[in-house]
Amino acid sequence: MLNDKQAPFAPQTRVSPDAPTSLLPRTLAGTVIMPRVSRQPQPDDDSPSEPEASTVRRYPWWQQVLAFLLPAATMFAIGWQGLGDRQLWNDEHATWHTTTLDWAELSRLLDRLDRVVALYYLLMRGWVSLAGDTPTMLRLPSLVAMACAAGLTALLGQRLLGTPAGLVAGLVFTVIPGVSRYAQEARPYAFAVAAAVLATLLLLQALDRPRWPRWLLYAAVVVLAAYFHVVAVLLLVPHALLAWLRYQRSERDVRLWKYLGALAVIAAGVMPLVYAGSGQSQAIDWIEADRKAVVELPMQLFGSYPVAAAVCAVALFGVPLLAALRNRGVTAALVAWALFPPLFTLATAPLLNLFLFRYLLFTLPAWALLAAGALHGISRVVFRRVWPQLVIAAGALPALALLAVPAHQDLRGTRVEGEPDYRAAAEVIMAGVRPGDGIIFAGRARPPRLGMAYQMRDGPRPDDVLLVRSSAEIGDFGVQECPVTLPCLAGRERIWLVSTSYSREPFSEMSEERAATLTRIYQVEQEEIFPRVNVHLLVPRR
């Protein structure tokens, strides 16, 4: 006898699953045959009126973990090399200074300067209180943020183009010298880069599953990116382009309206920051957008002209390939991400003074994704498969790394090019200082007081004889000095003069009254010349 699965004569009559069993077909053995029911997804309140392809591809958890961890660990390993070897420079001294202030003093400083990076200063103040203020500890948060940016770039590439392309994008990002340079910088730029990539990833997830919590999380991260650096808000332009290209065909799609709601939340969060920063524009009025700045932008942004040329050439080659593979919306968004911020800041430079390569670091993930997209396109067009791009990358990435090696070595010098060697100057003074010694400072381009204060923070320090009001008291990175020099000298027998003047003349780049007073009373007994900083020991004239 045939069993139920072997019954060849089962009727093919279509019967509703809700019909009574007396009407359902039966096998020869008399067993009722229940009809198969195809389960269709039920639309919810957030479903679009027309079915559309998903923006976000889903991958097994282990592929996502691998895509994140491999570039992130690589970035951390690269950035860890020489993390604390390079001396802090002017901007990093400002970060350290804010960690030494109490809450009232920090509030006074932010009222006058740097409101747009107040969040970073608050984070660093808490971090330094726990970890200390060595160069390694001051820079470690930036390294962790940039490592997260590398992993998030890989996840973004995975969702847009697949796991191989995501891994390639993350690794290309880690090789760029400019990335590791600012992974070793006690400033907020690495945090802005990480937040920008995370915001883009959250946008894709919100477009794919448009529930309000996802949109609000996306809006919060965009606001966070802006509070780490306000120029990162320009990322909204490629984001808007991505949303528009996907949903312009469906006027009834609720996702578009939810995106507009997220934009309203972002505007409410960012506008107070923009308003607060507009009153402190004097802090960046030194930025120039001349021909030299434009020509040097690729080298400064990528850290090397050869690396910039290689990455940009491959990325631009990949644009038509990605567009041909029906990824036009993704391609347009990535191109806008890479090009719109520098073009906008250049066009508005006379008004906003924002055309500075450090402010544009958040565009580097887009260049890495476009370069990975080129390999993705070649694999699809030539090999008709996706995974061969790993074979291509196995040859391309080492070549890119070789191009980047000289720049990585230069960036890991003992000091930033053109910056004073405060460490050497401080060692001379701390080795020779005596009780009752005083110290004075000269130099306009790089006032040395803050840098020397950091280098001598744990050692013997001469008295700052010309100091009337400290930077903490006036809410600035500068200080107020004695208007008349002689009364403040108070008959000091020995004075250390630290000058960052371009001239080796001890009393250059100071007021005529001060230079005349010091020349009349003192003579130089000892002189030490270091890169961009000189130390002179002054003693009374015989």
Side-chain angles (χ1 to χ4, degrees):
M1 178 180 296
L2 297 173
N3 57 28
D4 295 348
K5 295 182 180 180
Q6 296 172 326
F9 305 110
Q12 302 299 318
T13 307
R14 295 183 179 272
V15 182
S16 169
D18 298 328
T21 56
S22 60
L23 299 179
L24 294 175
R26 298 174 180 270
T27 64
L28 293 178
T31 304
V32 175
I33 300 177
M34 297 300 296
R36 294 182 179 180
V37 181
S38 60
R39 296 184 178 271
Q40 300 293 334
Q42 298 298 320
D44 54 21
D45 295 337
D46 295 324
S47 299
S49 57
E50 298 177 9
E52 298 186 28
S54 175
T55 303
V56 181
R57 304 180 183 184
R58 296 179 176 85
Y59 294 90
W61 67 269
W62 63 269
Q63 286 192 22
Q64 298 183 45
V65 171
L66 176 65
F68 178 86
L69 287 183
L70 182 59
T74 303
M75 181 70 256
F76 191 89
I78 293 174
W80 182 258
Q81 298 298 315
L83 181 62
D85 294 346
R86 189 180 69 246
Q87 296 184 46
L88 301 189
W89 71 290
N90 188 64
D91 286 11
E92 292 180 295
H93 290 144
T95 297
W96 168 76
H97 174 68
T98 61
T99 67
T100 66
L101 304 177
D102 60 32
W103 291 112
E105 294 168 343
L106 181 58
S107 176
R108 191 179 302 120
L109 173 68
L110 295 178
D111 282 341
R112 294 190 59 183
L113 297 168
D114 280 353
R115 288 176 186 166
V116 293
V117 290
L119 176 61
Y120 175 74
Y121 287 157
L122 293 175
L123 291 176
M124 289 302 296
R125 192 177 185 279
W127 167 254
V128 168
S129 66
L130 298 174
D133 61 356
T134 64
T136 298
M137 290 298 103
L138 283 170
R139 292 166 176 160
L140 185 58
S142 292
L143 175 57
V144 173
M146 199 65 89
C148 291
L152 292 169
T153 299
L155 285 180
L156 184 57
Q158 180 188 54
R159 290 178 176 272
L160 292 175
L161 303 170
T163 299
L167 287 172
V168 172
L171 293 175
V172 168
F173 180 78
T174 64
V175 172
I176 296 174
V179 171
S180 61
R181 164 67 178 84
Y182 285 93
Q184 298 181 336
E185 177 96 347
R187 295 299 286 171
Y189 308 117
F191 289 85
V193 174
V197 183
L198 178 60
T200 307
L201 191 60
L202 291 173
L203 173 65
L204 294 178
Q205 293 179 343
L207 292 174
D208 185 65
R209 300 183 65 184
R211 301 186 183 278
W212 274 116
R214 292 177 181 269
W215 286 113
L216 294 177
L217 182 60
Y218 159 72
V221 174
V222 172
V223 172
L224 187 67
Y227 274 79
F228 281 125
H229 203 281
V230 68
V231 180
V233 78
L234 296 178
L235 191 66
L236 288 176
V237 172
H239 285 184
L241 182 62
L242 183 63
W244 173 255
L245 289 177
R246 183 174 182 194
Y247 295 123
Q248 62 178 335
R249 298 179 181 178
S250 177
E251 297 179 356
R252 295 174 295 171
D253 198 323
V254 296
R255 276 171 279 205
L256 182 58
W257 296 106
K258 290 188 175 183
Y259 175 68
L260 294 177
L263 287 183
V265 174
I266 293 169
V270 173
M271 288 307 296
L273 177 69
V274 174
Y275 177 77
S278 63
Q280 299 177 343
S281 59
Q282 74 280 0
I284 56 173
D285 59 7
W286 56 270
I287 299 175
E288 297 182 358
D290 53 12
R291 181 178 179 182
K292 180 182 178 182
V294 174
V295 172
E296 292 181 350
L297 178 64
M299 183 272 293
Q300 293 177 325
L301 185 61
F302 286 86
S304 163
Y305 272 127
V307 174
V311 173
C312 292
V314 175
L316 296 178
F317 175 75
V319 169
L321 289 177
L322 285 177
L325 293 173
R326 298 181 180 179
N327 289 320
R328 296 178 182 177
V330 170
T331 306
L334 291 179
V335 171
W337 184 357
L339 295 180
F340 176 76
L343 293 176
F344 177 84
T345 53
L346 177 61
T348 59
L351 179 64
L352 301 178
N353 294 317
L354 294 174
F355 186 70
L356 187 64
F357 72 96
R358 293 192 291 271
Y359 299 172
L360 302 171
L361 289 171
F362 69 94
T363 63
L364 290 177
W367 288 109
L369 288 164
L370 286 172
L375 302 183
H376 173 80
I378 293 173
S379 300
R380 291 290 300 271
V381 172
V382 177
F383 301 101
R384 304 286 183 179
R385 295 178 181 274
V386 175
W387 286 95
Q389 63 191 278
L390 289 179
V391 178
I392 302 173
L397 284 173
L400 181 62
L402 288 175
L403 285 176
V405 166
H408 279 283
Q409 292 175 339
D410 292 341
L411 294 174
R412 282 164 175 76
T414 57
R415 61 187 179 87
V416 176
E417 183 179 0
E419 291 294 315
D421 191 353
Y422 290 129
R423 183 181 297 168
E427 289 173 354
V428 168
I429 296 176
M430 289 189 294
V433 67
R434 299 176 186 175
D437 283 1
I439 189 171
I440 60 177
F441 303 95
R444 298 189 183 97
R446 278 287 185 263
R449 182 177 270 104
L450 203 55
M452 293 298 293
Y454 176 77
Q455 293 298 336
M456 296 191 294
R457 66 194 185 282
D458 298 325
R461 299 175 58 181
D463 298 330
D464 193 343
V465 297
L466 299 182
L467 179 65
V468 175
R469 295 182 66 199
S470 68
S471 56
E473 292 174 319
I474 64 177
D476 202 334
F477 293 116
V479 300
Q480 182 180 344
E481 294 186 337
C482 294
V484 180
T485 306
L486 185 59
C488 294
L489 296 178
R492 300 273 178 170
E493 289 295 322
R494 299 184 357 140
I495 291 181
W496 297 90
L497 169 60
V498 181
S499 174
T500 54
S501 168
Y502 285 97
S503 171
R504 292 184 60 175
E505 170 62 34
F507 307 117
S508 63
E509 293 192 17
M510 61 175 61
S511 68
E512 293 183 4
E513 180 272 337
R514 181 166 300 166
T517 301
L518 293 173
T519 302
R520 185 176 68 254
I521 300 175
Y522 295 99
Q523 66 181 18
V524 177
E525 182 180 80
Q526 178 184 346
E527 182 180 63
E528 300 289 345
I529 306 300
F530 301 106
R532 289 288 289 112
V533 61
N534 305 328
V535 178
H536 309 273
L537 177 59
L538 307 182
V539 296
R541 287 188 177 275
R542 297 181 180 88

